[in-house]
Amino acid sequence: MVSKVFEGTNVEIPAVLANRDRRVATQAQLLREHPSQVVVACKLNIPGPVKNSATIQAFFTAGLARLEDQWLACGQPFEIATSWEDAPTGPERFYLLYSAGVTVKEGAVHFEERQPANRLFDLDVLITNGGESHSLSRGDFDLPVRTCLICGRPAKECGRSRRHSVEELQARVAKLIDEATAANQRETVAEQLADQAVKAMLNEVVTWPKPVLVDPVEHRAHPDMDVFTFIQSATSLRPYFKQAEAGGHGRPQFPDRTTCAPFL
């Protein structure tokens, strides 16, 4: 399969620098307007002159949907402040969170390290401290440093020494995004099929008349069940339907609530 990850527009260094200035200004404005909230600036680490494409943007959007699911599972309210996801310099999105900065940073690091493709995400967590904006780093909380996508050494070390070529990095990034995209497509199909399975069960239980089965009128063959317990049973099976349709093994994957404070 030929990767479509880097089928996009080349951007020059001046455009990248101008976008960095825009990002810094946006972060500063959000912190001024919302000093009691945490700002999370989300972007991708994409090597080379192509920073955005349809495939990159879809990967970014799908990844942030999982991040939002993580926040919701942990009871961390958030709102999207602004975004420019179709920018040639790369997709970006800015969130406001109503949580402690350290908790948000720990969750961000957990997300970045949760699976290989997530390491392409750069989640910058910023707070207002003493009237000044402050970006929380991994070193502030003795969290694990970012590692190189290719060799596993500290990423900053490889970046400074230019240990790997742009071509090597692009090949690795394309592989990670293509694998994540294929997994997202399988996930989407599994979600749709699980929804259809539950819909079929609900359609069946409300059908009447039918011989000696559970329906809204009677349930003579099933004295331990009525239409309401049938509905509850059907909807509770959805995670299992999804697991079966995805071809997975073992228990269904419910939201991981340990991500709320993974390093405490």
Side-chain angles (χ1 to χ4, degrees):
M1 180 182 69
V2 177
S3 175
K4 296 183 178 181
V5 170
F6 293 104
E7 292 184 356
T9 303
N10 287 7
V11 293
E12 303 295 334
I13 294 299
V16 174
L17 295 177
N19 184 71
R20 183 182 64 183
D21 292 340
R22 179 170 69 149
R23 181 188 313 119
V24 170
T26 298
Q27 292 169 172
Q29 180 180 352
L30 289 173
L31 288 170
R32 283 196 306 271
E33 295 175 352
H34 308 275
S36 62
Q37 294 172 237
V38 178
V39 172
V40 180
C42 308
K43 61 184 182 68
L44 295 173
N45 293 316
I46 304 293
V50 176
K51 304 295 185 183
N52 207 349
S53 67
T55 303
I56 288 173
Q57 191 171 331
F59 168 75
F60 181 75
T61 302
L64 291 188
R66 293 193 301 274
L67 176 64
E68 292 175 3
D69 286 343
Q70 175 180 308
W71 285 334
L72 291 174
C74 297
Q76 293 181 312
F78 65 87
E79 61 179 295
I80 299 174
T82 188
S83 65
W84 49 78
E85 294 171 24
D86 58 351
T89 49
E92 301 191 41
R93 189 184 296 176
F94 300 82
Y95 290 94
L96 294 170
L97 270 77
Y98 302 80
S99 301
V102 60
T103 303
V104 175
K105 183 62 179 179
E106 288 168 343
V109 172
H110 178 88
F111 174 82
E112 291 169 346
E113 302 293 336
R114 189 172 184 179
Q115 56 187 15
N118 283 13
R119 294 167 62 195
L120 299 178
F121 281 84
D122 184 3
L123 308 181
D124 196 9
V125 178
L126 305 106
I127 62 171
T128 300
N129 188 5
E132 299 291 331
S133 62
H134 178 60
S135 177
L136 302 181
S137 71
R138 295 186 178 210
D140 291 337
F141 309 104
D142 196 29
L143 299 176
V145 300
R146 280 185 174 272
T147 55
C148 174
L149 294 171
I150 295 177
C151 68
R153 292 185 177 93
K156 287 185 178 179
E157 177 185 316
C158 288
R160 283 193 297 265
S161 65
R162 298 184 182 274
R163 181 172 283 113
H164 311 291
S165 68
V166 171
E167 291 73 20
E168 286 180 293
L169 291 167
Q170 284 182 319
R172 177 59 176 158
V173 167
K175 184 174 187 294
L176 288 171
I177 291 180
D178 286 337
E179 289 176 347
T181 299
N184 289 338
Q185 291 171 345
R186 292 193 297 271
E187 178 86 0
T188 298
V189 171
E191 293 276 4
Q192 293 171 343
L193 291 174
D195 286 341
Q196 290 300 313
V198 173
K199 181 179 178 181
M201 295 182 70
L202 296 179
N203 286 341
E204 189 275 329
V205 76
V206 298
T207 300
W208 182 87
K210 56 181 181 284
V212 298
L213 297 176
V214 177
D215 58 48
V217 178
E218 57 189 353
H219 51 97
R220 286 176 295 174
H222 300 278
D224 60 337
M225 179 179 289
D226 59 22
V227 66
F228 299 106
T229 53
F230 189 104
I231 290 171
Q232 292 168 357
S233 175
T235 54
S236 72
L237 289 173
R238 188 187 181 283
Y240 297 89
F241 288 142
K242 178 185 172 184
Q243 186 86 354
E245 300 295 353
H249 300 280
R251 298 176 61 188
Q253 299 300 307
F254 295 101
D256 180 7
R257 298 186 181 275
T258 63
T259 61
C260 299
F263 299 101
L264 292 180

